[in-house]
Every structure is written in structure tokens, then in C-alpha cells.
PDB file of all heavy atoms in Angstrom:
ATOM      1  N   VAL U   1     143.834 -11.720  14.813  1.00  0.00           N
ATOM      2  CA  VAL U   1     143.455 -10.302  14.763  1.00  0.00           C
ATOM      3  C   VAL U   1     144.180  -9.640  13.604  1.00  0.00           C
ATOM      4  O   VAL U   1     145.418  -9.554  13.596  1.00  0.00           O
ATOM      5  CB  VAL U   1     143.794  -9.579  16.083  1.00  0.00           C
ATOM      6  CG1 VAL U   1     143.379  -8.115  15.985  1.00  0.00           C
ATOM      7  CG2 VAL U   1     143.108 -10.265  17.252  1.00  0.00           C
ATOM      8  N   GLU U   2     143.392  -9.155  12.637  1.00  0.00           N
ATOM      9  CA  GLU U   2     143.962  -8.500  11.463  1.00  0.00           C
ATOM     10  C   GLU U   2     144.028  -6.986  11.656  1.00  0.00           C
ATOM     11  O   GLU U   2     143.242  -6.406  12.418  1.00  0.00           O
ATOM     12  CB  GLU U   2     143.118  -8.779  10.209  1.00  0.00           C
ATOM     13  CG  GLU U   2     142.949 -10.230   9.838  1.00  0.00           C
ATOM     14  CD  GLU U   2     141.635 -10.787  10.311  1.00  0.00           C
ATOM     15  OE1 GLU U   2     141.059 -10.220  11.268  1.00  0.00           O
ATOM     16  OE2 GLU U   2     141.155 -11.779   9.728  1.00  0.00           O
ATOM     17  N   SER U   3     144.915  -6.379  10.897  1.00  0.00           N
ATOM     18  CA  SER U   3     145.005  -4.920  10.851  1.00  0.00           C
ATOM     19  C   SER U   3     145.599  -4.515   9.514  1.00  0.00           C
ATOM     20  O   SER U   3     146.159  -5.350   8.786  1.00  0.00           O
ATOM     21  CB  SER U   3     145.873  -4.392  11.995  1.00  0.00           C
ATOM     22  OG  SER U   3     147.185  -4.890  11.897  1.00  0.00           O
ATOM     23  N   GLY U   4     145.454  -3.236   9.180  1.00  0.00           N
ATOM     24  CA  GLY U   4     146.120  -2.709   8.000  1.00  0.00           C
ATOM     25  C   GLY U   4     145.235  -2.399   6.826  1.00  0.00           C
ATOM     26  O   GLY U   4     145.717  -1.896   5.805  1.00  0.00           O
ATOM     27  N   GLY U   5     143.945  -2.668   6.908  1.00  0.00           N
ATOM     28  CA  GLY U   5     143.057  -2.345   5.797  1.00  0.00           C
ATOM     29  C   GLY U   5     142.832  -0.847   5.683  1.00  0.00           C
ATOM     30  O   GLY U   5     143.308  -0.056   6.493  1.00  0.00           O
ATOM     31  N   GLY U   6     142.093  -0.470   4.633  1.00  0.00           N
ATOM     32  CA  GLY U   6     141.786   0.939   4.449  1.00  0.00           C
ATOM     33  C   GLY U   6     141.373   1.243   3.032  1.00  0.00           C
ATOM     34  O   GLY U   6     141.109   0.338   2.229  1.00  0.00           O
ATOM     35  N   LEU U   7     141.349   2.544   2.732  1.00  0.00           N
ATOM     36  CA  LEU U   7     140.992   3.032   1.401  1.00  0.00           C
ATOM     37  C   LEU U   7     142.266   3.419   0.660  1.00  0.00           C
ATOM     38  O   LEU U   7     143.104   4.153   1.197  1.00  0.00           O
ATOM     39  CB  LEU U   7     140.068   4.239   1.527  1.00  0.00           C
ATOM     40  CG  LEU U   7     139.721   4.989   0.238  1.00  0.00           C
ATOM     41  CD1 LEU U   7     138.935   4.091  -0.710  1.00  0.00           C
ATOM     42  CD2 LEU U   7     138.942   6.258   0.568  1.00  0.00           C
ATOM     43  N   VAL U   8     142.405   2.945  -0.562  1.00  0.00           N
ATOM     44  CA  VAL U   8     143.598   3.247  -1.360  1.00  0.00           C
ATOM     45  C   VAL U   8     143.181   3.440  -2.808  1.00  0.00           C
ATOM     46  O   VAL U   8     142.191   2.851  -3.267  1.00  0.00           O
ATOM     47  CB  VAL U   8     144.640   2.107  -1.216  1.00  0.00           C
ATOM     48  CG1 VAL U   8     144.114   0.804  -1.766  1.00  0.00           C
ATOM     49  CG2 VAL U   8     145.965   2.480  -1.847  1.00  0.00           C
ATOM     50  N   GLN U   9     143.918   4.275  -3.522  1.00  0.00           N
ATOM     51  CA  GLN U   9     143.628   4.502  -4.933  1.00  0.00           C
ATOM     52  C   GLN U   9     144.147   3.342  -5.774  1.00  0.00           C
ATOM     53  O   GLN U   9     145.093   2.640  -5.372  1.00  0.00           O
ATOM     54  CB  GLN U   9     144.278   5.799  -5.384  1.00  0.00           C
ATOM     55  CG  GLN U   9     143.664   7.041  -4.776  1.00  0.00           C
ATOM     56  CD  GLN U   9     144.241   8.309  -5.359  1.00  0.00           C
ATOM     57  OE1 GLN U   9     145.297   8.312  -5.973  1.00  0.00           O
ATOM     58  NE2 GLN U   9     143.523   9.410  -5.170  1.00  0.00           N
ATOM     59  N   PRO U  10     143.560   3.129  -6.932  1.00  0.00           N
ATOM     60  CA  PRO U  10     144.077   2.097  -7.837  1.00  0.00           C
ATOM     61  C   PRO U  10     145.569   2.310  -8.099  1.00  0.00           C
ATOM     62  O   PRO U  10     146.023   3.444  -8.294  1.00  0.00           O
ATOM     63  CB  PRO U  10     143.251   2.298  -9.106  1.00  0.00           C
ATOM     64  CG  PRO U  10     141.957   2.865  -8.611  1.00  0.00           C
ATOM     65  CD  PRO U  10     142.337   3.768  -7.473  1.00  0.00           C
ATOM     66  N   GLY U  11     146.300   1.206  -8.068  1.00  0.00           N
ATOM     67  CA  GLY U  11     147.744   1.261  -8.229  1.00  0.00           C
ATOM     68  C   GLY U  11     148.504   1.414  -6.931  1.00  0.00           C
ATOM     69  O   GLY U  11     149.728   1.282  -6.910  1.00  0.00           O
ATOM     70  N   GLY U  12     147.796   1.655  -5.857  1.00  0.00           N
ATOM     71  CA  GLY U  12     148.425   1.831  -4.560  1.00  0.00           C
ATOM     72  C   GLY U  12     148.739   0.524  -3.866  1.00  0.00           C
ATOM     73  O   GLY U  12     148.530  -0.563  -4.423  1.00  0.00           O
ATOM     74  N   SER U  13     149.233   0.647  -2.636  1.00  0.00           N
ATOM     75  CA  SER U  13     149.664  -0.516  -1.861  1.00  0.00           C
ATOM     76  C   SER U  13     149.098  -0.464  -0.452  1.00  0.00           C
ATOM     77  O   SER U  13     148.846   0.613   0.091  1.00  0.00           O
ATOM     78  CB  SER U  13     151.199  -0.561  -1.777  1.00  0.00           C
ATOM     79  OG  SER U  13     151.791  -0.677  -3.045  1.00  0.00           O
ATOM     80  N   LEU U  14     148.912  -1.644   0.106  1.00  0.00           N
ATOM     81  CA  LEU U  14     148.545  -1.804   1.511  1.00  0.00           C
ATOM     82  C   LEU U  14     149.260  -3.038   2.040  1.00  0.00           C
ATOM     83  O   LEU U  14     149.540  -3.983   1.278  1.00  0.00           O
ATOM     84  CB  LEU U  14     147.038  -1.981   1.693  1.00  0.00           C
ATOM     85  CG  LEU U  14     146.134  -0.763   1.585  1.00  0.00           C
ATOM     86  CD1 LEU U  14     144.673  -1.200   1.647  1.00  0.00           C
ATOM     87  CD2 LEU U  14     146.430   0.239   2.692  1.00  0.00           C
ATOM     88  N   ARG U  15     149.499  -3.025   3.340  1.00  0.00           N
ATOM     89  CA  ARG U  15     150.073  -4.206   3.995  1.00  0.00           C
ATOM     90  C   ARG U  15     149.143  -4.621   5.122  1.00  0.00           C
ATOM     91  O   ARG U  15     148.881  -3.840   6.040  1.00  0.00           O
ATOM     92  CB  ARG U  15     151.464  -3.915   4.540  1.00  0.00           C
ATOM     93  CG  ARG U  15     152.152  -5.133   5.144  1.00  0.00           C
ATOM     94  CD  ARG U  15     153.567  -4.807   5.585  1.00  0.00           C
ATOM     95  NE  ARG U  15     154.263  -5.939   6.151  1.00  0.00           N
ATOM     96  CZ  ARG U  15     154.925  -6.841   5.432  1.00  0.00           C
ATOM     97  NH1 ARG U  15     154.986  -6.713   4.111  1.00  0.00           N
ATOM     98  NH2 ARG U  15     155.537  -7.856   6.033  1.00  0.00           N
ATOM     99  N   LEU U  16     148.663  -5.851   5.040  1.00  0.00           N
ATOM    100  CA  LEU U  16     147.813  -6.420   6.075  1.00  0.00           C
ATOM    101  C   LEU U  16     148.653  -7.295   6.993  1.00  0.00           C
ATOM    102  O   LEU U  16     149.581  -7.977   6.535  1.00  0.00           O
ATOM    103  CB  LEU U  16     146.701  -7.268   5.460  1.00  0.00           C
ATOM    104  CG  LEU U  16     145.825  -6.599   4.393  1.00  0.00           C
ATOM    105  CD1 LEU U  16     144.744  -7.570   3.942  1.00  0.00           C
ATOM    106  CD2 LEU U  16     145.232  -5.315   4.894  1.00  0.00           C
ATOM    107  N   SER U  17     148.305  -7.276   8.265  1.00  0.00           N
ATOM    108  CA  SER U  17     148.968  -8.136   9.233  1.00  0.00           C
ATOM    109  C   SER U  17     147.936  -8.889  10.045  1.00  0.00           C
ATOM    110  O   SER U  17     146.828  -8.389  10.272  1.00  0.00           O
ATOM    111  CB  SER U  17     149.852  -7.310  10.171  1.00  0.00           C
ATOM    112  OG  SER U  17     150.940  -6.736   9.481  1.00  0.00           O
ATOM    113  N   CYS U  18     148.310 -10.065  10.484  1.00  0.00           N
ATOM    114  CA  CYS U  18     147.439 -10.899  11.315  1.00  0.00           C
ATOM    115  C   CYS U  18     148.299 -11.483  12.437  1.00  0.00           C
ATOM    116  O   CYS U  18     149.271 -12.190  12.170  1.00  0.00           O
ATOM    117  CB  CYS U  18     146.823 -12.006  10.475  1.00  0.00           C
ATOM    118  SG  CYS U  18     145.872 -13.218  11.410  1.00  0.00           S
ATOM    119  N   VAL U  19     147.891 -11.176  13.654  1.00  0.00           N
ATOM    120  CA  VAL U  19     148.599 -11.707  14.826  1.00  0.00           C
ATOM    121  C   VAL U  19     147.755 -12.820  15.427  1.00  0.00           C
ATOM    122  O   VAL U  19     146.553 -12.646  15.660  1.00  0.00           O
ATOM    123  CB  VAL U  19     148.853 -10.605  15.860  1.00  0.00           C
ATOM    124  CG1 VAL U  19     149.575 -11.177  17.065  1.00  0.00           C
ATOM    125  CG2 VAL U  19     149.664  -9.480  15.238  1.00  0.00           C
ATOM    126  N   ALA U  20     148.396 -13.945  15.699  1.00  0.00           N
ATOM    127  CA  ALA U  20     147.700 -15.108  16.220  1.00  0.00           C
ATOM    128  C   ALA U  20     148.096 -15.392  17.654  1.00  0.00           C
ATOM    129  O   ALA U  20     149.263 -15.254  18.035  1.00  0.00           O
ATOM    130  CB  ALA U  20     148.011 -16.326  15.360  1.00  0.00           C
ATOM    131  N   SER U  21     147.123 -15.813  18.453  1.00  0.00           N
ATOM    132  CA  SER U  21     147.406 -16.260  19.811  1.00  0.00           C
ATOM    133  C   SER U  21     147.646 -17.762  19.794  1.00  0.00           C
ATOM    134  O   SER U  21     147.281 -18.441  18.839  1.00  0.00           O
ATOM    135  CB  SER U  21     146.231 -15.948  20.727  1.00  0.00           C
ATOM    136  OG  SER U  21     145.084 -16.672  20.308  1.00  0.00           O
ATOM    137  N   GLY U  22     148.224 -18.293  20.834  1.00  0.00           N
ATOM    138  CA  GLY U  22     148.361 -19.737  20.942  1.00  0.00           C
ATOM    139  C   GLY U  22     149.704 -20.257  20.485  1.00  0.00           C
ATOM    140  O   GLY U  22     150.456 -19.568  19.805  1.00  0.00           O
ATOM    141  N   SER U  23     149.980 -21.487  20.858  1.00  0.00           N
ATOM    142  CA  SER U  23     151.280 -22.092  20.587  1.00  0.00           C
ATOM    143  C   SER U  23     151.302 -22.912  19.311  1.00  0.00           C
ATOM    144  O   SER U  23     152.260 -23.590  19.025  1.00  0.00           O
ATOM    145  CB  SER U  23     151.687 -22.988  21.758  1.00  0.00           C
ATOM    146  OG  SER U  23     150.715 -24.012  21.932  1.00  0.00           O
ATOM    147  N   PHE U  24     150.241 -22.852  18.533  1.00  0.00           N
ATOM    148  CA  PHE U  24     150.119 -23.662  17.327  1.00  0.00           C
ATOM    149  C   PHE U  24     150.828 -23.060  16.123  1.00  0.00           C
ATOM    150  O   PHE U  24     151.023 -23.713  15.104  1.00  0.00           O
ATOM    151  CB  PHE U  24     148.634 -23.784  16.972  1.00  0.00           C
ATOM    152  CG  PHE U  24     147.988 -22.456  16.649  1.00  0.00           C
ATOM    153  CD1 PHE U  24     148.026 -21.928  15.366  1.00  0.00           C
ATOM    154  CD2 PHE U  24     147.392 -21.713  17.649  1.00  0.00           C
ATOM    155  CE1 PHE U  24     147.450 -20.696  15.071  1.00  0.00           C
ATOM    156  CE2 PHE U  24     146.812 -20.478  17.374  1.00  0.00           C
ATOM    157  CZ  PHE U  24     146.842 -19.973  16.094  1.00  0.00           C
ATOM    158  N   PHE U  25     151.195 -21.788  16.217  1.00  0.00           N
ATOM    159  CA  PHE U  25     151.497 -20.996  15.033  1.00  0.00           C
ATOM    160  C   PHE U  25     152.559 -21.630  14.143  1.00  0.00           C
ATOM    161  O   PHE U  25     152.435 -21.662  12.917  1.00  0.00           O
ATOM    162  CB  PHE U  25     151.932 -19.592  15.452  1.00  0.00           C
ATOM    163  CG  PHE U  25     152.015 -18.616  14.305  1.00  0.00           C
ATOM    164  CD1 PHE U  25     150.885 -17.935  13.900  1.00  0.00           C
ATOM    165  CD2 PHE U  25     153.208 -18.400  13.644  1.00  0.00           C
ATOM    166  CE1 PHE U  25     150.947 -17.037  12.846  1.00  0.00           C
ATOM    167  CE2 PHE U  25     153.281 -17.511  12.581  1.00  0.00           C
ATOM    168  CZ  PHE U  25     152.144 -16.828  12.193  1.00  0.00           C
ATOM    169  N   ASN U  26     153.628 -22.141  14.777  1.00  0.00           N
ATOM    170  CA  ASN U  26     154.738 -22.655  13.975  1.00  0.00           C
ATOM    171  C   ASN U  26     154.387 -23.899  13.181  1.00  0.00           C
ATOM    172  O   ASN U  26     155.144 -24.290  12.293  1.00  0.00           O
ATOM    173  CB  ASN U  26     155.924 -22.989  14.890  1.00  0.00           C
ATOM    174  CG  ASN U  26     156.554 -21.743  15.458  1.00  0.00           C
ATOM    175  OD1 ASN U  26     156.071 -20.634  15.255  1.00  0.00           O
ATOM    176  ND2 ASN U  26     157.637 -21.924  16.187  1.00  0.00           N
ATOM    177  N   PHE U  27     153.257 -24.532  13.479  1.00  0.00           N
ATOM    178  CA  PHE U  27     152.990 -25.853  12.931  1.00  0.00           C
ATOM    179  C   PHE U  27     151.867 -25.897  11.906  1.00  0.00           C
ATOM    180  O   PHE U  27     151.441 -26.966  11.504  1.00  0.00           O
ATOM    181  CB  PHE U  27     152.647 -26.807  14.081  1.00  0.00           C
ATOM    182  CG  PHE U  27     153.671 -26.801  15.170  1.00  0.00           C
ATOM    183  CD1 PHE U  27     153.439 -26.119  16.351  1.00  0.00           C
ATOM    184  CD2 PHE U  27     154.881 -27.444  15.000  1.00  0.00           C
ATOM    185  CE1 PHE U  27     154.388 -26.088  17.350  1.00  0.00           C
ATOM    186  CE2 PHE U  27     155.839 -27.425  16.002  1.00  0.00           C
ATOM    187  CZ  PHE U  27     155.591 -26.745  17.178  1.00  0.00           C
ATOM    188  N   VAL U  28     151.388 -24.751  11.485  1.00  0.00           N
ATOM    189  CA  VAL U  28     150.198 -24.762  10.644  1.00  0.00           C
ATOM    190  C   VAL U  28     150.387 -24.006   9.343  1.00  0.00           C
ATOM    191  O   VAL U  28     151.304 -23.196   9.178  1.00  0.00           O
ATOM    192  CB  VAL U  28     148.994 -24.160  11.397  1.00  0.00           C
ATOM    193  CG1 VAL U  28     148.689 -24.966  12.645  1.00  0.00           C
ATOM    194  CG2 VAL U  28     149.255 -22.697  11.756  1.00  0.00           C
ATOM    195  N   VAL U  29     149.437 -24.296   8.446  1.00  0.00           N
ATOM    196  CA  VAL U  29     149.300 -23.540   7.213  1.00  0.00           C
ATOM    197  C   VAL U  29     148.434 -22.317   7.493  1.00  0.00           C
ATOM    198  O   VAL U  29     147.411 -22.410   8.173  1.00  0.00           O
ATOM    199  CB  VAL U  29     148.630 -24.421   6.132  1.00  0.00           C
ATOM    200  CG1 VAL U  29     148.355 -23.608   4.871  1.00  0.00           C
ATOM    201  CG2 VAL U  29     149.494 -25.629   5.822  1.00  0.00           C
ATOM    202  N   LEU U  30     148.862 -21.186   6.976  1.00  0.00           N
ATOM    203  CA  LEU U  30     148.146 -19.930   7.184  1.00  0.00           C
ATOM    204  C   LEU U  30     147.616 -19.406   5.856  1.00  0.00           C
ATOM    205  O   LEU U  30     148.326 -19.451   4.843  1.00  0.00           O
ATOM    206  CB  LEU U  30     149.083 -18.901   7.802  1.00  0.00           C
ATOM    207  CG  LEU U  30     149.609 -19.282   9.185  1.00  0.00           C
ATOM    208  CD1 LEU U  30     150.865 -18.519   9.519  1.00  0.00           C
ATOM    209  CD2 LEU U  30     148.547 -19.056  10.240  1.00  0.00           C
ATOM    210  N   ASP U  31     146.407 -18.927   5.888  1.00  0.00           N
ATOM    211  CA  ASP U  31     145.743 -18.454   4.666  1.00  0.00           C
ATOM    212  C   ASP U  31     145.260 -17.015   4.829  1.00  0.00           C
ATOM    213  O   ASP U  31     144.875 -16.599   5.922  1.00  0.00           O
ATOM    214  CB  ASP U  31     144.500 -19.307   4.359  1.00  0.00           C
ATOM    215  CG  ASP U  31     144.821 -20.751   4.126  1.00  0.00           C
ATOM    216  OD1 ASP U  31     145.850 -21.033   3.490  1.00  0.00           O
ATOM    217  OD2 ASP U  31     144.039 -21.600   4.591  1.00  0.00           O
ATOM    218  N   TRP U  32     145.256 -16.314   3.718  1.00  0.00           N
ATOM    219  CA  TRP U  32     144.512 -15.060   3.605  1.00  0.00           C
ATOM    220  C   TRP U  32     143.355 -15.299   2.632  1.00  0.00           C
ATOM    221  O   TRP U  32     143.566 -15.743   1.503  1.00  0.00           O
ATOM    222  CB  TRP U  32     145.391 -13.925   3.077  1.00  0.00           C
ATOM    223  CG  TRP U  32     146.251 -13.286   4.110  1.00  0.00           C
ATOM    224  CD1 TRP U  32     147.587 -13.519   4.336  1.00  0.00           C
ATOM    225  CD2 TRP U  32     145.850 -12.312   5.073  1.00  0.00           C
ATOM    226  NE1 TRP U  32     148.025 -12.743   5.371  1.00  0.00           N
ATOM    227  CE2 TRP U  32     146.987 -11.993   5.845  1.00  0.00           C
ATOM    228  CE3 TRP U  32     144.643 -11.667   5.360  1.00  0.00           C
ATOM    229  CZ2 TRP U  32     146.949 -11.058   6.884  1.00  0.00           C
ATOM    230  CZ3 TRP U  32     144.609 -10.739   6.388  1.00  0.00           C
ATOM    231  CH2 TRP U  32     145.747 -10.443   7.135  1.00  0.00           C
ATOM    232  N   TYR U  33     142.164 -14.988   3.102  1.00  0.00           N
ATOM    233  CA  TYR U  33     140.959 -15.070   2.283  1.00  0.00           C
ATOM    234  C   TYR U  33     140.436 -13.659   2.043  1.00  0.00           C
ATOM    235  O   TYR U  33     140.772 -12.710   2.760  1.00  0.00           O
ATOM    236  CB  TYR U  33     139.861 -15.862   2.996  1.00  0.00           C
ATOM    237  CG  TYR U  33     139.978 -17.352   2.932  1.00  0.00           C
ATOM    238  CD1 TYR U  33     140.902 -18.035   3.721  1.00  0.00           C
ATOM    239  CD2 TYR U  33     139.154 -18.102   2.101  1.00  0.00           C
ATOM    240  CE1 TYR U  33     140.996 -19.416   3.676  1.00  0.00           C
ATOM    241  CE2 TYR U  33     139.233 -19.482   2.055  1.00  0.00           C
ATOM    242  CZ  TYR U  33     140.150 -20.139   2.853  1.00  0.00           C
ATOM    243  OH  TYR U  33     140.235 -21.500   2.799  1.00  0.00           O
ATOM    244  N   ARG U  34     139.543 -13.539   1.076  1.00  0.00           N
ATOM    245  CA  ARG U  34     138.811 -12.289   0.890  1.00  0.00           C
ATOM    246  C   ARG U  34     137.400 -12.601   0.424  1.00  0.00           C
ATOM    247  O   ARG U  34     137.146 -13.639  -0.197  1.00  0.00           O
ATOM    248  CB  ARG U  34     139.504 -11.360  -0.107  1.00  0.00           C
ATOM    249  CG  ARG U  34     139.495 -11.834  -1.541  1.00  0.00           C
ATOM    250  CD  ARG U  34     140.286 -10.872  -2.417  1.00  0.00           C
ATOM    251  NE  ARG U  34     140.329 -11.302  -3.806  1.00  0.00           N
ATOM    252  CZ  ARG U  34     141.073 -10.722  -4.742  1.00  0.00           C
ATOM    253  NH1 ARG U  34     141.855  -9.665  -4.419  1.00  0.00           N
ATOM    254  NH2 ARG U  34     141.052 -11.161  -5.985  1.00  0.00           N
ATOM    255  N   GLN U  35     136.503 -11.684   0.754  1.00  0.00           N
ATOM    256  CA  GLN U  35     135.126 -11.810   0.300  1.00  0.00           C
ATOM    257  C   GLN U  35     134.630 -10.445  -0.141  1.00  0.00           C
ATOM    258  O   GLN U  35     134.560  -9.511   0.669  1.00  0.00           O
ATOM    259  CB  GLN U  35     134.230 -12.381   1.393  1.00  0.00           C
ATOM    260  CG  GLN U  35     132.812 -12.664   0.918  1.00  0.00           C
ATOM    261  CD  GLN U  35     132.024 -13.498   1.884  1.00  0.00           C
ATOM    262  OE1 GLN U  35     132.288 -13.523   3.082  1.00  0.00           O
ATOM    263  NE2 GLN U  35     131.003 -14.189   1.378  1.00  0.00           N
ATOM    264  N   ALA U  36     134.312 -10.355  -1.409  1.00  0.00           N
ATOM    265  CA  ALA U  36     133.753  -9.128  -1.979  1.00  0.00           C
ATOM    266  C   ALA U  36     132.241  -9.173  -1.869  1.00  0.00           C
ATOM    267  O   ALA U  36     131.645 -10.260  -1.794  1.00  0.00           O
ATOM    268  CB  ALA U  36     134.182  -8.990  -3.432  1.00  0.00           C
ATOM    269  N   PRO U  37     131.589  -8.019  -1.884  1.00  0.00           N
ATOM    270  CA  PRO U  37     130.124  -7.992  -1.790  1.00  0.00           C
ATOM    271  C   PRO U  37     129.476  -8.829  -2.889  1.00  0.00           C
ATOM    272  O   PRO U  37     129.811  -8.698  -4.068  1.00  0.00           O
ATOM    273  CB  PRO U  37     129.798  -6.508  -1.957  1.00  0.00           C
ATOM    274  CG  PRO U  37     131.017  -5.794  -1.501  1.00  0.00           C
ATOM    275  CD  PRO U  37     132.166  -6.670  -1.913  1.00  0.00           C
ATOM    276  N   GLY U  38     128.563  -9.713  -2.468  1.00  0.00           N
ATOM    277  CA  GLY U  38     127.837 -10.533  -3.424  1.00  0.00           C
ATOM    278  C   GLY U  38     128.618 -11.694  -4.001  1.00  0.00           C
ATOM    279  O   GLY U  38     128.125 -12.388  -4.895  1.00  0.00           O
ATOM    280  N   LYS U  39     129.830 -11.918  -3.481  1.00  0.00           N
ATOM    281  CA  LYS U  39     130.655 -13.009  -4.005  1.00  0.00           C
ATOM    282  C   LYS U  39     131.027 -13.980  -2.899  1.00  0.00           C
ATOM    283  O   LYS U  39     130.954 -13.652  -1.720  1.00  0.00           O
ATOM    284  CB  LYS U  39     131.926 -12.441  -4.657  1.00  0.00           C
ATOM    285  CG  LYS U  39     131.662 -11.610  -5.902  1.00  0.00           C
ATOM    286  CD  LYS U  39     132.960 -11.249  -6.592  1.00  0.00           C
ATOM    287  CE  LYS U  39     132.693 -10.485  -7.874  1.00  0.00           C
ATOM    288  NZ  LYS U  39     133.960 -10.139  -8.580  1.00  0.00           N
ATOM    289  N   GLN U  40     131.445 -15.166  -3.314  1.00  0.00           N
ATOM    290  CA  GLN U  40     131.894 -16.171  -2.352  1.00  0.00           C
ATOM    291  C   GLN U  40     133.280 -15.818  -1.821  1.00  0.00           C
ATOM    292  O   GLN U  40     134.086 -15.182  -2.509  1.00  0.00           O
ATOM    293  CB  GLN U  40     131.923 -17.551  -3.013  1.00  0.00           C
ATOM    294  CG  GLN U  40     130.545 -18.146  -3.270  1.00  0.00           C
ATOM    295  CD  GLN U  40     130.620 -19.610  -3.672  1.00  0.00           C
ATOM    296  OE1 GLN U  40     131.616 -20.036  -4.257  1.00  0.00           O
ATOM    297  NE2 GLN U  40     129.591 -20.371  -3.361  1.00  0.00           N
ATOM    298  N   ARG U  41     133.550 -16.263  -0.617  1.00  0.00           N
ATOM    299  CA  ARG U  41     134.877 -16.094  -0.035  1.00  0.00           C
ATOM    300  C   ARG U  41     135.873 -16.922  -0.832  1.00  0.00           C
ATOM    301  O   ARG U  41     135.570 -18.062  -1.227  1.00  0.00           O
ATOM    302  CB  ARG U  41     134.855 -16.532   1.415  1.00  0.00           C
ATOM    303  CG  ARG U  41     136.139 -16.314   2.170  1.00  0.00           C
ATOM    304  CD  ARG U  41     135.966 -16.811   3.597  1.00  0.00           C
ATOM    305  NE  ARG U  41     135.183 -15.892   4.407  1.00  0.00           N
ATOM    306  CZ  ARG U  41     134.664 -16.214   5.589  1.00  0.00           C
ATOM    307  NH1 ARG U  41     134.833 -17.418   6.074  1.00  0.00           N
ATOM    308  NH2 ARG U  41     133.990 -15.316   6.270  1.00  0.00           N
ATOM    309  N   GLU U  42     137.040 -16.368  -1.069  1.00  0.00           N
ATOM    310  CA  GLU U  42     138.062 -17.080  -1.824  1.00  0.00           C
ATOM    311  C   GLU U  42     139.416 -16.918  -1.133  1.00  0.00           C
ATOM    312  O   GLU U  42     139.689 -15.885  -0.515  1.00  0.00           O
ATOM    313  CB  GLU U  42     138.156 -16.522  -3.257  1.00  0.00           C
ATOM    314  CG  GLU U  42     138.522 -15.062  -3.339  1.00  0.00           C
ATOM    315  CD  GLU U  42     138.617 -14.549  -4.769  1.00  0.00           C
ATOM    316  OE1 GLU U  42     138.430 -15.330  -5.715  1.00  0.00           O
ATOM    317  OE2 GLU U  42     138.889 -13.347  -4.936  1.00  0.00           O
TER     318      GLU U  42
END
């Protein structure tokens, strides 16, 4: 579950957070992806 998005002016800052359920958390690689309109997820 992510949180922290919003509207910001160029040059500004945001902090995103993701809370995970389950006991796997300590043992995995975690990624942040993004997908812009009309573009592939990266």
C-alpha cells in the first residue's frame, strides 16, 4: 500500500511510502516503478 503522492511544483519534493504485509519483507528486493501516460512502466 503506497501513500504520499500529490501535486508539486517543479523543483519541489515528495516522499512516497509503501507498507507491506507479510513476513517476507526482510528477505526480498524492493522496487519503485513508475508509469507515465503513454509510456512503458520503468
Side-chain angles (χ1 to χ4, degrees):
V1 180
E2 301 99 337
S3 61
L7 173 64
V8 64
Q9 292 186 343
S13 299
L14 283 174
R15 184 176 181 86
L16 306 182
S17 293
C18 174
V19 180
S21 63
S23 60
F24 63 87
F25 191 86
N26 290 5
F27 307 103
V28 299
V29 175
L30 297 160
D31 299 321
W32 279 100
Y33 280 76
R34 69 183 179 188
Q35 186 167 25
K39 294 188 177 181
Q40 288 191 331
R41 184 180 284 166
E42 60 180 358

